[in-house]
Amino acid sequence: MESYADVVVIGGGVAGTMAAIAAARAGKKTVLLERSGALGGMWTSGLIGVTLDAENKNGLLKEFLQKVNDEGGCATTFETKKYVFEKMCIEAGVELYLGCAFVSAENVNGKITEVKCTSKSGVITFKAERYIDATGDGDVAASAGCEFFFGNGEGKVQPMSMVALVEIKGGLDEKYLGWDGRNNFKALLDSLGAAYSLGCPNIALCQGEIYQLSINQEYGKNPLDCKSVSLASVNARKEIFETTKKLRKSGMNITLVTTPEFIGVREGRRIKCRYNITLDDIVSGARFNDAVCRVTYWVDIHSFVPGDKGYSDSGITVKPYDIPLRAMLPIGAENLILAGRCIGGDFCAHASYRVMGNMAAVGEAAGAFAAK
C-alpha cells in the first residue's frame, strides 16, 4: 500500500501536530502519522499537563490553548487537548493515520524518497516532497543515515520519568502541594517507608480531587533500547502503585486513577544539523536571522544517579536566546526537517530548549517551512 502527499509528518506529539496543522493550512496535502491512538504525545497520553516556556509564544500554541479554554478545559485537561488537536487537524485538512508506527526511511543521494510504517493495514509506504521528523528521538533522521549526538559526551543521558494521576477524596492538605510543599511531601513519604526514585517527589493539584503524582526517575536506562525502555516502564509503574498503596494504608483516601501510555523521555538523539545550538549561545543570549522562537527556560538537568535533589542547573545562567531554523535542518537529508527535542544542539542547550512551549513553536515553524 502506498500513500502520496506534499508533506509527511512522522510523530503526532506537540511538535508534530503543530507542524501538520501549519503545513495543511498553507495549502499542502499533509499526512500525520502517530504510533498511538491519540495526538499530543507527552502533553496528553504522557499526562504532562504543564506547558513550560509558553508565556512568550504566540501562533498556533496560543490559538490551541485558547481553544482548550473555550471548550471548558484547563491546562491539565488531557481529553480536551486530544479533542482540540484532532479538530484542528481535521479542519485544516490533515490526513490522520493513528496506530501507524514508523519503520524505516529510504535515503537516496541525500534525499529521502519514502518512509515505511506499520499499521493494521500492514506496511504502508509514504512518499512526499518533504518529511518532518517529529518522533522525539530523531528516528527518521537516524534511519536515513544522519549523524547524531547522544548524552553528555560520556554516553550518559538524563533519566526517564513517569508521572501518574491519583484521586484523593476530601483533598490534600496544601502544605504538601506543588514545589513549595515538596519537602513536606518527601517527609511524609519517608515516614511511611515509601520507596521513591525522584530526589524531589511532589504532588500537584490538577482539578477537583485529581492530583498529579511525581515520584519516579529511571536511572541508567537507554531511551533508544526497547528492552531498557520496557524495564523502565515496568519499574516506574510498580513504584507508583506501591507508593500509592502506602499512602492509602496511612489513612489517606487515595486511588491510583491512571499511569501514562508511555514513560517520559527527556533526551534521546540530537541530530547533527546545519547549526547546533551551544552552551555559549544560551548563556550569551544568541540572536539569529532565521530564528523560529525565543527560549527563556533555564537549564534543567536531571541527575544521572539518585541524589538528594534530583535536578540541577549546573550553575548555568541562561539569557533568552533564539532557536534558528538551521538547527532543524539535518545534514545528509535535504528534504527532512526536524520538529521536537531531536533538533541540533549540545547537551546543556538541549536541557533548556526541550520543553513543550518551545517545541510547539518549533513544530509550527517546521510545518510552515515544509510548505514553502
Side-chain angles (χ1 to χ4, degrees):
M1 180 178 174
E2 290 189 347
S3 178
Y4 299 84
D6 297 315
V7 179
V8 171
V9 183
I10 305 95
V14 172
T17 305
M18 295 296 189
I21 294 168
R25 285 186 178 181
K28 297 299 181 180
K29 181 179 179 182
T30 304
V31 166
L32 176 58
L33 316 177
E34 166 54 35
R35 61 176 178 166
S36 71
L39 300 176
M42 291 305 298
W43 215 13
T44 55
S45 301
L47 305 183
I48 302 298
V50 64
T51 310
L52 298 172
D53 213 359
E55 292 77 11
N56 67 333
K57 307 299 188 300
N58 292 307
L60 282 179
L61 177 60
K62 186 174 182 179
E63 177 187 340
F64 173 82
L65 293 174
Q66 183 60 55
K67 287 180 181 294
V68 170
N69 184 68
D70 291 344
E71 291 291 346
C74 64
T76 53
T77 308
F78 308 109
E79 294 307 316
T80 306
K81 288 178 180 177
K82 292 176 187 177
Y83 169 74
V84 171
F85 262 145
E86 290 174 359
K87 185 178 180 181
M88 289 177 71
C89 281
I90 297 304
E91 289 177 348
V94 176
E95 189 174 339
L96 288 176
Y97 285 78
L98 299 177
C100 194
F102 171 76
V103 175
S104 64
E106 183 73 17
N107 187 340
V108 179
N109 298 322
K111 188 174 183 179
I112 295 179
T113 57
E114 63 182 37
V115 297
K116 292 185 182 297
C117 295
T118 183
S119 72
K120 283 292 185 180
S121 302
V123 175
I124 308 176
T125 300
F126 294 90
K127 296 185 177 183
E129 291 298 316
R130 284 183 167 174
Y131 301 84
I132 297 177
D133 184 344
T135 60
D137 291 320
D139 294 338
V140 181
S143 178
C146 299
E147 295 183 2
F148 58 88
F149 305 99
F150 183 73
N152 66 342
E154 300 176 355
K156 295 180 179 179
V157 294
Q158 296 180 67
M160 294 176 272
S161 295
M162 183 179 288
V163 299
L165 295 184
V166 297
E167 180 183 42
I168 304 177
K169 292 291 187 181
L172 184 65
D173 192 317
E174 288 188 2
K175 71 179 183 180
Y176 296 119
L177 293 178
W179 287 107
D180 291 339
R182 64 189 184 277
N183 289 330
N184 291 330
F185 187 61
K186 184 177 186 296
L188 172 63
L189 294 177
D190 288 340
S191 70
L192 300 174
Y196 52 87
S197 51
L198 176 60
C200 53
N202 62 91
I203 188 167
L205 178 64
C206 289
Q207 59 187 107
E209 295 181 324
I210 301 297
Y211 296 79
Q212 184 183 70
L213 179 67
S214 182
I215 61 169
N216 170 259
Q217 290 201 144
E218 293 297 319
Y219 302 99
K221 305 295 193 306
N222 184 348
L224 305 181
D225 179 81
C226 181
K227 289 181 67 176
S228 189
V229 173
S230 299
L231 178 60
S233 300
V234 171
N235 287 347
R237 288 195 174 91
K238 178 182 178 181
E239 183 174 89
I240 291 166
F241 187 89
E242 294 297 334
T243 298
T244 304
K245 189 163 62 174
K246 283 186 178 292
L247 288 168
R248 187 164 57 249
K249 286 183 176 179
S250 74
M252 186 182 295
N253 193 356
I254 184 172
T255 301
L256 177 59
V257 175
T258 187
T259 56
E261 180 179 348
F262 34 70
I263 196 167
V265 177
R266 287 189 173 82
E267 59 169 321
R269 302 180 187 91
R270 305 188 310 277
I271 307 300
K272 292 185 180 181
C273 290
R274 298 182 192 179
Y275 187 86
N276 299 292
I277 306 166
T278 67
L279 174 60
D280 287 342
D281 290 333
I282 71 174
V283 299
S284 66
R287 300 286 186 266
F288 299 99
N289 292 333
D290 60 341
V292 301
C293 77
R294 184 153 297 168
V295 179
T296 64
Y297 197 63
W298 59 295
V299 172
D300 181 12
I301 299 175
H302 286 243
S303 177
F304 300 126
V305 295
D308 291 335
K309 194 173 183 182
Y311 67 94
S312 169
D313 64 6
S314 292
I316 300 168
T317 300
V318 173
K319 292 182 180 179
Y321 63 93
D322 293 341
I323 293 178
L325 176 65
R326 286 166 291 159
M328 300 160 54
L329 304 178
I331 297 170
E334 64 181 57
N335 60 339
L336 179 63
I337 306 161
L338 306 178
R341 55 182 168 79
C342 62
I343 65 174
D346 66 21
F347 175 78
C348 290
H350 171 274
S352 167
Y353 61 65
R354 63 178 168 81
V355 296
M356 296 287 187
N358 299 316
M359 294 303 100
V362 164
E364 180 178 358
F369 183 71
K372 290 184 177 180

